[in-house]
Amino acid sequence: MSDFPIITADKNSLKNRRLIYGVGNNNAPYMTNVKIDGKRIICPIYKIWTSMLRRCYAKTNRVGCETYHDCTVCSEWLDFMSFRAWVINQKWKGMELDKDLKVFGARIYSPETCAFIPKQINMLFSDSKKARGKYPIGVTFSKKQGLFHARVRKYGVLSHIGFFDNPNDAHNAYILEKTRHINEVASTCEDWIRDLVINYWESAFDSGKFKLVEGEYE
């Protein structure tokens, strides 16, 4: 926090504060939004906190966004200073807040479920449901080829795997390549992050979220 100027909030500032997204209490004794030499600066932890609240409680943000439609924030973290106290004890700078890598399927942001992880890890498990439509994960239909296209996202870029006669074969090719990519990325991380990634992938298979498909496509 050394890069953010701590300026004590005056009584007027404290009086004018309102609940963030109708639920979050900004009880910081300092100004979380300041103007220095004509430049607006926002407390970086406050940014993380309000972004978390927005994903869960901003009505306009939740329309059409199934990823967060039933997510919540634990009561403790609706209090900004409680959230800040947890963050400053984490390795958070340059990282992203994740709610379900520690606990597969978690729908609540809390100290028990959350961790700060590298961006490339946070991108590993996006299912791109809107882009693929009715087909299995990793699969789209190419009208030009008249075939099913399997692709996997690696380091932020969609990489071609191949074209297949049916979506099941394309999906299975995706799963195999995705597994290779996950192991590759995990091997470059700290041990605790690598373990979380591998455990998540195993849990995803156990739950059926990710799986190899057998038999004919229906």
Side-chain angles (χ1 to χ4, degrees):
M1 291 291 288
S2 59
D3 54 345
F4 180 76
I6 300 297
I7 301 174
T8 301
D10 58 32
K11 291 183 179 181
N12 189 53
S13 174
L14 294 173
K15 181 180 178 180
N16 289 329
R17 289 179 180 177
R18 298 292 183 270
L19 289 178
I20 308 300
Y21 298 110
V23 295
N25 175 32
N26 176 13
N27 59 343
Y30 62 90
M31 302 288 290
T32 54
N33 187 322
V34 299
K35 197 170 186 179
I36 305 294
D37 297 328
K39 183 179 180 180
R40 183 66 60 183
I41 303 175
I42 301 175
C43 170
I45 296 180
Y46 182 77
K47 279 186 179 180
I48 297 169
W49 182 66
T50 55
S51 179
M52 174 183 67
L53 294 176
R54 183 181 68 249
R55 289 194 291 272
C56 295
Y57 301 110
K59 294 180 180 179
T60 55
N61 187 66
R62 297 173 74 181
V63 174
C65 184
E66 295 184 6
T67 304
Y68 299 104
H69 81 277
D70 62 348
C71 289
T72 59
V73 176
C74 71
S75 58
E76 177 185 353
W77 281 5
L78 294 179
D79 178 302
F80 172 64
M81 291 302 287
S82 292
F83 177 74
R84 181 182 181 277
W86 177 81
V87 171
I88 61 177
N89 286 312
Q90 312 299 313
K91 184 179 177 181
W92 63 276
K93 292 187 177 180
M95 309 283 265
E96 294 187 347
L97 182 67
D98 178 87
K99 74 180 183 315
D100 55 11
L101 192 62
K102 284 175 64 178
V103 180
F104 180 78
R107 308 304 293 167
I108 183 170
Y109 286 88
S110 71
E112 293 74 31
T113 60
C114 286
F116 280 100
I117 61 176
K119 183 176 181 179
Q120 67 266 26
I121 297 297
N122 211 14
M123 295 172 63
L124 278 178
F125 303 108
S126 172
D127 67 5
S128 303
K129 185 172 182 179
K130 186 176 181 180
R132 73 176 190 269
K134 64 180 181 179
Y135 300 114
I137 187 168
V139 181
T140 56
F141 182 73
S142 171
K143 291 182 179 179
K144 181 178 180 180
Q145 300 289 336
L147 297 168
F148 294 93
H149 192 187
R151 295 181 294 176
V152 63
R153 187 171 295 279
K154 297 181 178 181
Y155 306 107
V157 178
L158 274 176
S159 298
H160 169 78
I161 299 174
F163 291 101
F164 299 85
D165 292 329
N166 67 76
N168 285 357
D169 288 345
H171 171 71
N172 289 345
Y174 161 83
I175 289 293
L176 294 175
E177 188 59 30
K178 182 75 171 182
T179 300
R180 281 192 286 269
H181 177 57
I182 285 173
N183 286 328
E184 175 185 289
V185 174
S187 69
T188 68
C189 298
E190 297 178 50
D191 289 349
W192 71 273
I193 295 179
R194 183 194 64 227
D195 292 343
L196 286 180
V197 170
I198 299 304
N199 288 339
Y200 182 97
W201 192 235
E202 291 176 351
S203 296
F205 269 87
D206 291 342
S207 73
K209 179 177 181 179
F210 296 102
K211 62 181 179 180
L212 291 170
V213 181
E214 298 179 357
E216 297 294 325
Y217 177 72
E218 299 181 358

